[in-house]
Amino acid sequence: MIKKTLLFLFVIAIIGCSGDDSKEEVVLNPDPVVEKTFYTGMDLSFQSELESYNLEYSDQNGNPINVLEYVTSKGTNLIRLRLWHTPENGINSLEKVKNYALKIKSRGADFLLDIHYSDTWADPANQKPPASWNALNNSEIKNTVYNYTKRVIQELKNQGTPPDIVQIGNETNSGFLWNYGKVWNEFIDNWPFYVELSNQGYRAIKEVDSNIKTMIHIAGFSEAKLFFEKFEENKGNYDIIGLSYYPQFHGKNLTDFQNSVNDLATTFDKDILFTEISYPFTLNWNDNQTNFIGQSDQILSRFPATPAGQKEYLNWIVHIAKNIPNNHGLGFCYWAPDWIAFESNQNTSTQGSSWENQCLFDFNFNALPAIEVFINN
């Protein structure tokens, strides 16, 4: 639920000026002016796993911290968690999400639930249904999406941690639950059924709690207008537009990005959240894994891959979000600020990270200057 704050209610007493000193008091109750929360968020989906390694994250002065406690004390007011249906090793399971949701709410932050509708990563090139759903027919898959979504939201609400925002799929440029809800290549005419499946999730969420906002989240901005035109043409239901923006994948023309985002806001009259953003503080690495960003031609020339450049990039994102027309800029969510590289005696892939140079903690696990952007917004 997006928090709204009443800014004022006022009473005006109009004093009569007649000779008998009579007074007439008029009480006015205008429509309240409201202010939406501007989200300075983080995706901390890795924390449920990383906490088990007792890693020593530190603040900017080198003092040990608990990541969630620290970032929420520094202005982070939205935490995003991804949910997989039946994940290997229980990572991103409903139980893990429920446990961490309790921590989020205890810190007073809002909670963004990212339902992938998969047993693993879902993105524009990968939308594999849960293995247990593969043999369902169209009628069964609709009912299953509805029932699963409703169960997830109900369980979270029952423990006192209903999400404030729920994504119906993750980066659904090409639809989701392939091939049931695929809208790509030979399935380009499948929009009616994709939207029907998405609406089953929407209906389930609103039936549990009508105050929960729903989000349709896609990657990039260049085709966003066409996507949401098709979604709305097919009577898709949603509250918020969610966008991932990674310059190396989605384009480095900052003017095009800003103009496209502003056009989305005026065309569809929806709030917009930059659901996934990040930027490197260095092009070096701290393990033997290949990083997503490792070359100078992958970044923006305006923002160098330095701690100061990372901070300035984040300030620019805030500026873009706060200047979206009609107050439709909802904020941003930084992806995996904690996914550091470390050594461990345990047999786990977590020892390596393809993301450590885009974290908000340096190679000594100290918080970087970019954390100050969360404090100031």
Side-chain angles (χ1 to χ4, degrees), residues 173 215-232 238-245 255-275 320-321 323-330:
N173 305 54
M215 178 193 296
I216 299 299
H217 167 223
I218 68 169
F221 63 90
S222 61
E223 297 179 358
K225 187 173 183 178
L226 177 61
F227 175 93
F228 283 100
E229 283 175 346
K230 296 290 289 184
F231 195 83
E232 292 203 357
Y238 68 108
D239 301 308
I240 298 168
I241 291 174
L243 300 176
S244 296
Y245 177 55
T255 300
D256 283 353
F257 174 65
Q258 184 172 18
N259 289 342
S260 295
V261 169
N262 291 348
D263 188 35
L264 284 175
T266 55
T267 300
F268 301 104
D269 195 27
K270 299 285 188 181
D271 288 343
I272 297 174
L273 180 73
F274 298 147
T275 312
I320 298 301
N323 285 279
I324 292 174
N326 304 319
N327 195 31
H328 276 315
L330 201 54

Side-chain angles (χ1 to χ4, degrees), residues 126-231:
N126 302 279
Q127 294 285 345
K128 189 175 182 180
S132 59
W133 297 9
N134 281 330
L136 302 178
N137 61 36
N138 283 0
S139 177
E140 290 168 337
I141 192 69
K142 286 197 301 182
N143 290 334
T144 300
V145 168
Y146 169 80
N147 290 329
Y148 168 68
T149 306
K150 192 164 189 176
R151 177 175 66 85
V152 165
I153 305 304
Q154 190 66 65
E155 288 193 26
L156 286 163
K157 184 171 184 178
N158 287 349
Q159 71 166 13
T161 60
D164 298 274
I165 306 171
V166 178
Q167 288 181 222
I168 305 173
N170 187 75
E171 295 188 333
T172 57
N173 305 54
S174 51
F176 70 166
L177 294 167
W178 291 356
N179 289 326
Y180 300 107
K182 190 174 184 179
V183 288
W184 188 30
N185 290 342
E186 70 274 27
F187 291 87
I188 195 64
D189 295 326
N190 196 36
W191 275 90
F193 195 65
Y194 158 55
V195 172
E196 196 170 350
L197 287 175
S198 182
N199 282 349
Q200 291 297 318
Y202 177 92
R203 179 167 71 94
I205 293 161
K206 295 295 186 177
E207 285 180 358
V208 175
D209 190 335
S210 61
N211 291 316
I212 296 174
K213 299 296 184 182
T214 62
M215 178 193 296
I216 299 299
H217 167 223
I218 68 169
F221 63 90
S222 61
E223 297 179 358
K225 187 173 183 178
L226 177 61
F227 175 93
F228 283 100
E229 283 175 346
K230 296 290 289 184
F231 195 83

Side-chain angles (χ1 to χ4, degrees), residues 53-113:
Y53 296 98
N54 298 315
L55 303 175
E56 294 186 1
Y57 294 88
S58 301
D59 64 17
Q60 287 181 273
N61 297 316
N63 301 308
I65 60 165
N66 170 276
V67 170
L68 180 62
E69 292 177 2
Y70 175 71
V71 300
T72 51
S73 75
K74 296 299 182 181
T76 303
N77 57 5
L78 179 71
I79 304 297
R80 180 181 187 237
L81 299 178
R82 62 179 164 268
L83 173 64
W84 293 346
H85 185 273
T86 309
E88 185 179 357
N89 300 326
I91 298 171
N92 303 316
S93 67
L94 180 55
E95 286 308 308
K96 293 286 188 181
V97 167
K98 287 168 63 177
N99 289 339
Y100 206 77
L102 290 168
K103 299 178 182 181
I104 293 170
K105 292 296 185 178
S106 74
R107 295 297 303 171
D110 279 6
F111 168 30
L112 166 55
L113 177 65

